Amino acid sequence: PKPGITGCIRHAQEQLGLPVSHADALTWCIGPPMQESLRTLAGSDEGGALMLAHYRERYAEVGLFENSVYPGIPDALMALRVSGPRLYVATSKARIYAERILDHFNLAGYFDRVFGSELDGTNMRKTDLLRFALAETGEDPAKALMIGDREHDAIGARANGLMPIGVLWGYGSREELEAAGVTRLLERPADMASII
């Protein structure tokens, strides 16, 4: 699992005196809005809000850089960029963190714009986020794709008229993505160029 996310969740549990989950047991938290995942773990809105504060305390300084770029991603993004489509990031992660991560890993230059949730929870659901991104960019959803690794990506895409493409190098399984209605599954980053 991504140690940044799971490590920050474990930090929040520890700070609140809750049982600390094993990192492998937290992979379901990667992808959905973090506020919702933490509320589920804490068992209440109030507990979730406290966990979120402790999560962000560690994530903002350390956790957001405790990950790595999947092999082949820079080359795949370069190939896409050269072929002409506009590329955007649409993540349930807080936008300010997503921008810092892209800068840190030298990926920001591949994207026209980054869309993410706001710290107050605005646009934390992928359906809302994609609706906002489409309105902001003026992109035609019938000519756009959403490429993602979790069911939330596919559900948000379908709700907004975008073609949902699933990738198998992330955290979602083939079964999860197929059940969410992806149009196509990609095995490796280099396969992204074939769908443009």
Side-chain angles (χ1 to χ4, degrees):
K2 291 184 180 179
I5 292 174
T6 58
C8 293
I9 293 171
R10 291 162 49 89
H11 168 78
Q13 289 173 321
E14 186 176 273
Q15 293 301 306
L16 294 174
L18 298 172
V20 177
S21 303
H22 188 278
D24 290 338
L26 295 171
T27 56
W28 65 270
C29 297
I30 300 172
M34 190 54 61
Q35 290 92 325
E36 293 179 1
S37 297
L38 295 177
R39 185 182 320 118
T40 299
L41 283 169
S44 69
D45 290 344
E46 182 180 292
L50 289 170
M51 280 191 77
L52 182 62
H54 288 295
Y55 173 92
R56 286 181 175 164
E57 169 184 276
R58 184 178 188 281
Y59 193 81
E61 300 301 322
V62 178
L64 73 167
F65 302 127
E66 290 181 318
N67 50 60
S68 58
V69 178
Y70 285 106
I73 287 292
D75 291 339
L77 290 173
M78 175 65 79
L80 287 172
R81 198 69 188 162
V82 168
S83 67
R86 287 176 296 280
L87 302 177
Y88 304 99
V89 171
T91 177
S92 295
K93 184 183 306 308
R95 179 184 47 79
I96 62 168
Y97 299 147
E99 289 171 344
R100 289 179 62 197
I101 291 166
L102 290 170
D103 285 339
H104 178 78
F105 289 105
N106 298 313
L107 298 174
Y110 295 113
F111 298 99
D112 293 275
R113 187 162 169 193
V114 177
F115 293 96
S117 66
E118 299 303 327
L119 292 175
D120 67 1
T122 302
N123 291 327
M124 69 178 182
R125 289 183 182 80
K126 195 61 64 91
T127 298
D128 298 334
L129 179 68
L130 291 174
R131 184 180 309 114
F132 175 74
L134 289 167
E136 285 286 302
T137 62
E139 298 288 350
D140 179 355
K143 296 179 181 176
L145 309 172
M146 173 66 202
I147 301 173
D149 69 333
R150 298 306 303 253
E151 65 180 344
H152 309 87
D153 300 315
I155 292 166
R158 290 176 47 237
N160 284 284
L162 290 91
M163 180 183 293
I165 305 294
V167 300
L168 296 176
W169 59 83
Y171 285 90
S173 66
R174 176 182 297 273
E175 295 75 23
E176 174 186 333
L177 292 164
E178 287 176 345
V182 296
T183 304
R184 186 165 166 195
L185 284 168
L186 306 179
E187 301 277 346
R188 55 196 178 95
D191 295 338
M192 289 191 290
S194 69
I195 62 173
I196 303 300

